[in-house]
Amino acid sequence: MDTQNPTLPAPEERPLTPGELVEREQQARMQELNQMVAEGMECIRKLRDMNDAIEGEVISAKLYRLENLLKEIFDKVREYPDQMAQMHKLMDYYLPTTLKLVEAYKEFDGVSVPGEDILSAKVQIEKTLDTINAAFTELLNNLFRNRVFDVTTDAQVLETMLAREGLAGEHMEAQSTKDAGGSDIRLEL
């Protein structure tokens, strides 16, 4: 064996450097994000296809709203991947269950002479879609609540500093805002 030229272990055999670990973690997160977004877009496509097959303007409007909410949610998560952790319940339960309900509605809608049970189930699904749309709107807002709080706080601090330097009006009144926990934060001059 040549001791003057020891061979380095293969990358799989040697411990990873901290930089390599960070890079692998980032690659894994990006792969998870891309997979999540692809699955989300596939769900949106399925919703659109079912919407096209279902007659009725009221249900169609609810499904169209749902499609747009989901598209916006996935667009924002792509833009802010750090919010991806909040998406697991949506992906694992809410979205598959929503698709199941819409599939059932589509099936019931195809019955030529529906009985009372089918009509009642369709009404219940329509009401549930209203709840789902409201919940997904709230999810979209929750995903970015901290960002909104940070921006609002930055704006208020800047206004306070400008006023203190005499660069913004006579005097600013005390302003109050809520932090992420719901507690009041007051900025005064």
Side-chain angles (χ1 to χ4, degrees):
M1 176 175 213
D2 186 1
T3 57
Q4 291 179 344
N5 261 337
T7 58
L8 292 173
E12 299 83 31
E13 297 173 9
R14 67 174 171 78
L16 297 175
T17 66
E20 291 170 331
L21 283 172
V22 168
E23 184 177 330
R24 279 204 181 166
E25 288 172 6
Q26 288 174 342
Q27 288 173 347
R29 279 196 309 269
M30 287 309 295
Q31 184 176 10
E32 181 184 1
L33 173 67
N34 291 335
Q35 181 179 349
M36 179 183 287
V37 170
E39 288 173 13
M41 292 298 144
E42 177 62 16
C43 288
I44 292 169
R45 187 198 58 76
K46 287 178 181 178
L47 280 171
R48 186 175 309 116
D49 290 348
M50 287 187 282
N51 192 2
D52 290 344
I54 296 172
E55 293 186 21
E57 291 180 29
V58 173
I59 188 77
S60 184
K62 293 175 187 203
L63 292 172
Y64 182 73
R65 171 87 175 119
L66 179 58
E67 290 173 36
N68 287 331
L69 274 169
L70 288 169
K71 184 177 181 321
E72 190 171 354
I73 287 169
F74 287 109
D75 286 347
K76 292 299 179 185
V77 169
R78 189 180 300 146
E79 188 176 343
Y80 300 102
D82 57 316
Q83 300 298 321
M84 189 172 52
Q86 297 184 47
M87 297 289 292
H88 291 292
K89 209 175 235 183
L90 172 78
M91 296 303 296
D92 296 339
Y93 182 73
Y94 299 140
L95 205 46
T97 304
T98 299
L99 286 172
K100 183 178 169 183
L101 289 174
V102 176
E103 287 169 0
Y105 190 99
K106 178 183 164 222
E107 180 183 342
F108 297 157
D109 201 49
V111 174
S112 61
V113 183
E116 193 61 37
D117 289 344
I118 289 177
L119 293 174
S120 177
K122 285 175 66 175
V123 167
Q124 183 62 46
I125 292 169
E126 288 176 8
K127 288 179 183 177
T128 302
L129 283 172
D130 290 334
T131 302
I132 290 167
N133 282 337
F136 287 4
T137 299
E138 186 64 23
L139 172 64
L140 182 62
N141 289 331
N142 287 345
L143 284 173
F144 305 101
R145 184 165 282 142
N146 289 339
R147 176 117 171 94
V148 168
F149 175 72
D150 289 345
V151 169
T152 304
T153 301
D154 288 346
Q156 290 174 344
V157 168
L158 180 60
E159 287 177 359
T160 300
M161 290 174 65
L162 290 170
R164 183 174 290 154
E165 298 293 325
L167 300 173
E170 298 271 331
H171 294 285
M172 286 181 48
E173 293 181 25
Q175 292 188 3
S176 175
T177 190
K178 302 258 187 224
D179 67 11
S183 302
D184 277 337
I185 296 176
R186 293 186 55 79
L187 300 174
E188 297 183 44
L189 288 176

